[in-house]
Amino acid sequence: DVRANARALAAGVTPSTAPETLLFGLDAALTMMVDEGVEEVWARHARLGALVRSGLTDLGLSMLADQDHSSDTITAFFPPEGGSSSDFKDKLAARSGVELAVGQGAYADRVLRLGHMGWVEAPELEATLEAIGGMIRS
């Protein structure tokens, strides 16, 4: 409730128990970004996005967005032909522990989403691509 928050702010308090752990986490994440450098964070996301898209393409999977409109933070891709994204996601998680997200809205069971932002690096994404490849080959 924005009004309750505004009244509380004017009084110098919070309208409810403050989410201190989230605020401390935000402070730590922002410190890490400043230490790395914002431009380097963006460059890392671009490198990792390219790695994911290339790896998925090498596995024969198609991206939802064309290359000119791809995201550096998340890649949406179609599951192997003949399968649903929910089935693929569930089987991948059961087999390898790797969690993907399914699409949203009209794409809810048509695409899978793989995030590559935040504090992730190439080894984690390469392991994810290897797990996806193992699912496709089985």
Side-chain angles (χ1 to χ4, degrees), residues 5-77:
N5 277 288
R7 286 190 301 271
L9 179 63
V13 297
T14 59
S16 60
T17 303
E20 290 183 3
T21 56
L22 295 177
L23 295 173
F24 288 131
L26 175 62
D27 182 61
L30 291 173
T31 298
M32 292 169 71
M33 288 178 69
V34 168
D35 290 348
E36 183 177 358
V38 173
E39 289 79 12
E40 179 51 36
V41 170
W42 294 334
R44 178 169 46 84
H45 289 164
R47 285 192 306 274
L48 296 176
L51 173 103
V52 166
R53 290 186 297 276
S54 174
L56 292 170
T57 299
D58 289 349
L59 291 171
L61 299 170
S62 300
M63 306 307 110
L64 175 63
D66 64 51
Q67 185 67 26
D68 292 339
H69 298 96
S70 58
S71 170
D72 288 335
T73 59
I74 191 164
T75 296
F77 63 98

Side-chain angles (χ1 to χ4, degrees), residues 62-130:
S62 300
M63 306 307 110
L64 175 63
D66 64 51
Q67 185 67 26
D68 292 339
H69 298 96
S70 58
S71 170
D72 288 335
T73 59
I74 191 164
T75 296
F77 63 98
F78 294 99
E81 192 160 330
S84 76
S85 57
S86 296
D87 287 343
F88 189 88
K89 175 186 97 64
D90 292 345
K91 289 176 184 171
L92 180 67
R95 181 174 174 177
S96 67
V98 170
E99 293 283 346
L100 297 175
V102 295
Q104 297 177 323
Y107 293 96
D109 204 35
R110 295 181 50 208
V111 299
L112 294 152
R113 296 178 297 139
L114 172 53
H116 33 81
M117 64 180 161
W119 309 113
V120 63
E121 290 287 349
E124 294 92 349
L125 295 172
E126 289 164 348
T128 299
L129 292 167
E130 184 176 318

